[in-house]
């Protein structure tokens, strides 16, 4: 509070309030998101004073924002220092290639009686009016810039195209062969970025018209992008979770919405730590990801050839029969199987749901001749989607029994969109593995 207060130079002290008091009112509004009437009651001031204080502080924080947000706050060499080990080595970048990540987020607004404005700001996807701030950040989560408030009837590709054309400072910092990590919503602007600005773009692969899942190679390439892109998703969530006033604006407050977003972003850059995942294990994780990038999923042809998608080819497995499933440490699972912590965290929710409803049916293949040469077993289970009750994913794990090492998990496959990948595994496979481990531990304990 004091460090920012000292940077407010162009506000004067009045008889009714000091600069620090006005700044405290604004910061309380930004953090809490309470309406002005409640804030006025809490601070024992008039409601009109709350609005006036906030506007004065927005103007007073101009220097603070300009010092902590925007392409101009760092030299290109300083921006290059924000490239993480993972992003540089996954994509084999040289030391002069800058990586930026862009994504649009949502800021809800009120319904307007102005039909023209209502049509521009109504989101068909979210079924309510909103505006879209475009967040651009570095690979370690330092916010490069907040690029305007855009209407809901523009998609991410149109917004980024407009930003690149109008944002001269951004174009000055970016050089040829720099990399932009994008999601699938930017697919229509890829050609413009590569041909007109000579940038390298990385985006998760798209599923073909007649396909239900990504191929193994496509799913692996997508995992490379999502492994590095998660920081912008965290920042978008963090902006609205830590600064609750940014969740929704009244229409009369839209004139200062972009200023408030920029102030919040400046606070994050100034005071919050950078977002770097797997710092202790990044070398191992990168090595395993690159090693398996071109590796095909060995279960894919097996399941098709032997018709193992049918439940009739599996026997129901009782919990007391699971006595040979491999046990691995969390560290080995993170560095060799999931290649990160995201699937580990997601699997907890899946396990909790299936243990609570008691419908977690585990099965093992009937035909032991299929894996006789490798002395392996194939487990099968159906896992319900966390998004839809009607959607169930079939998950398979091939393993060598009674061997507690990483090599004992030979392959896994899921019928979700990313289920064929060999660079890590999806959350459904990880959930299944944890469930097998849990049941093995429980049955061993009961036997004791």
């Amino acid at each position: 509070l004091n460090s920012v207060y000292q940077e407010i130079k162009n506000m004067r002290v009045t008889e009714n309030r000091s600069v620090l008091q006005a700044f405290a009112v604004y910061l309380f509004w930004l953090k809490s998101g309470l309406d002005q009437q409640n804030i006025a009651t809490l601070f024992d001031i008039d409601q009109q004073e709350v609005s006036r204080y906030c506007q004065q502080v927005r103007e007073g924080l101009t220097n603070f924002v300009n010092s902590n947000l925007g392409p101009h706050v760092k030299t290109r060499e300083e921006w290059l220092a924000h490239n993480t080990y993972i992003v540089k080595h996954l994509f084999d970048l040289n030391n002069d290639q800058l990586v930026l990540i862009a994504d649009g987020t949502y800021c809800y607004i009120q319904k307007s009686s102005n039909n023209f404005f209502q049509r521009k700001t109504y989101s068909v996807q979210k079924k309510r009016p909103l505006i879209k701030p475009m967040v651009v950040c570095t690979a370690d989560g330092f916010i490069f810039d907040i690029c305007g408030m855009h209407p809901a009837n523009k998609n991410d590709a149109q917004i980024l195209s407009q930003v690149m054309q109008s944002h001269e400072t951004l174009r000055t910092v970016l050089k040829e062969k720099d990399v932009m990590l994008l999601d699938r919503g930017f697919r229509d602007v890829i050609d413009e970025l590569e041909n007109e600005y000579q940038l390298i773009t990385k985006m998760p692969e798209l599923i073909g018209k007649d396909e239900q899942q990504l191929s193994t190679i496509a799913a692996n390439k997508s995992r490379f992008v999502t492994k590095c892109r998660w920081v912008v998703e965290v920042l978008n969530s963090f902006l609205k979770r830590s600064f609750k006033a940014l969740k929704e604006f009244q229409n009369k407050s839209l004139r200062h919405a972009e200023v408030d977003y920029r102030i919040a972003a400046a606070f994050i850059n100034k005071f919050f730590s950078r977002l770097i995942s797997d710092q202790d294990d990044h070398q191992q994780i990168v090595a395993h990801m690159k090693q398996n990038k071109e590796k095909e999923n060995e279960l894919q042809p097996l399941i098709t050839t032997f018709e193992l998608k049918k439940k009739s080819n599996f026997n129901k497995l009782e919990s007391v029969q699971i006595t040979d499933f491999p046990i691995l440490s969390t560290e080995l699972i993170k560095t060799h199987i999931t290649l990160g912590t995201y699937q580990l965290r997601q699997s907890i929710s899946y396990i909790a749901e299936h243990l609570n409803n008691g419908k977690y049916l585990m099965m093992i293949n009937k035909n032991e001749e299929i894996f006789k040469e490798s002395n392996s077993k194939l487990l099968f289970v159906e896992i319900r989607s966390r998004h839809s009750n009607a959607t169930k994913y079939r998950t398979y794990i091939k393993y060598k029994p009674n061997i507690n090492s990483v090599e004992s998990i030979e392959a896994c496959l899921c019928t979700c969109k990313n289920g064929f990948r060999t660079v890590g595994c999806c959350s459904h496979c990880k959930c299944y593995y944890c469930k097998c481990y849990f049941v093995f531990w429980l049955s061993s304990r009961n036997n004791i």
Side-chain angles (χ1 to χ4, degrees), residues 25-72:
V25 169
Y26 173 76
L27 193 58
F28 183 80
W29 168 81
L30 188 64
K31 290 285 290 180
S32 68
L34 293 177
D35 58 65
Q36 293 182 359
Q37 184 175 357
N38 286 328
I39 294 177
T41 302
L42 290 170
F43 282 86
D44 194 20
I45 57 178
D46 293 334
Q47 182 176 346
Q48 293 181 347
E49 294 299 315
V50 175
S51 179
R52 188 178 298 112
Y53 290 176
C54 290
Q55 186 56 36
Q56 291 170 350
V57 172
R58 289 186 189 99
E59 296 172 358
L61 287 174
T62 302
N63 292 333
F64 170 74
V65 174
N66 290 337
S67 301
N68 294 281
L69 181 68
H72 60 276

Side-chain angles (χ1 to χ4, degrees), residues 15-30:
E15 295 180 358
N16 296 325
R17 59 105 183 110
S18 67
V19 175
L20 185 59
Q21 288 171 330
F23 178 50
V25 169
Y26 173 76
L27 193 58
F28 183 80
W29 168 81
L30 188 64

Side-chain angles (χ1 to χ4, degrees), residues 205-215 218:
E205 298 291 318
L206 298 170
I207 299 177
K209 290 183 179 180
D210 299 327
E211 298 176 351
Q212 299 295 323
Q213 293 180 269
L214 290 170
S215 66

Side-chain angles (χ1 to χ4, degrees), residues 418-435:
N418 294 294
F420 287 163
R421 75 183 182 207
T422 55
V423 175
C425 66
C426 65
S427 300
H428 312 107
C429 291
K430 182 67 197 77
C431 164
Y432 191 14
Y433 173 83
C434 290
K435 170 66 176 178

Side-chain angles (χ1 to χ4, degrees), residues 120-184:
K120 289 182 64 176
T121 57
Y122 183 77
S123 171
V124 177
Q125 179 185 6
K126 297 295 183 179
K127 308 299 182 184
R128 60 181 298 183
L130 54 85
I131 53 177
K132 295 181 178 180
M134 176 63 69
V135 179
V136 182
C137 70
T138 61
D140 64 353
F142 191 94
I143 300 179
F144 188 82
D145 208 355
I146 303 288
C147 302
M149 298 287 148
H150 304 274
N153 61 359
K154 286 189 176 182
N155 58 36
D156 287 347
Q158 293 171 325
I159 294 173
L160 184 58
S161 176
Q162 179 181 333
V163 168
M164 291 298 295
Q165 293 172 15
S166 60
H167 206 312
E168 295 182 5
T169 313
L170 173 60
R171 295 200 306 271
T172 302
V173 174
L174 287 173
K175 304 295 183 183
E176 291 185 7
K177 304 302 181 183
D178 282 346
V179 179
M180 292 201 75
L181 301 183
L182 308 170
D183 64 16
R184 295 181 178 94

Side-chain angles (χ1 to χ4, degrees), residues 308-311 314 350 353-354 357 359-363 379-385 389-396 413-415 428-429 431-432 435:
L308 292 178
K309 284 188 177 181
K310 297 181 179 179
K311 284 186 180 180
F314 290 85
Y350 282 106
E353 177 189 2
H354 289 87
N357 61 30
K359 297 179 180 179
Y360 204 105
L361 181 65
M362 304 175 67
M363 307 184 79
L379 294 177
F380 160 76
V381 73
E382 284 186 344
I383 296 179
R384 180 176 291 174
S385 168
N389 285 330
T391 304
K392 291 183 179 180
Y393 299 118
R394 297 191 169 197
T395 303
Y396 304 83
L413 182 145
C414 182
T415 56
H428 312 107
C429 291
C431 164
Y432 191 14
K435 170 66 176 178

Side-chain angles (χ1 to χ4, degrees), residues 373-413:
E373 293 183 3
S374 61
N375 190 29
S376 303
K377 293 184 177 181
L378 182 68
L379 294 177
F380 160 76
V381 73
E382 284 186 344
I383 296 179
R384 180 176 291 174
S385 168
R386 64 189 174 115
H387 302 292
S388 171
N389 285 330
T391 304
K392 291 183 179 180
Y393 299 118
R394 297 191 169 197
T395 303
Y396 304 83
I397 294 181
K398 181 187 175 188
Y399 73 99
K400 285 185 178 296
N402 300 314
I403 301 177
N404 294 330
S405 69
V406 175
E407 290 73 19
S408 61
I409 307 294
E410 296 182 310
C412 59
L413 182 145

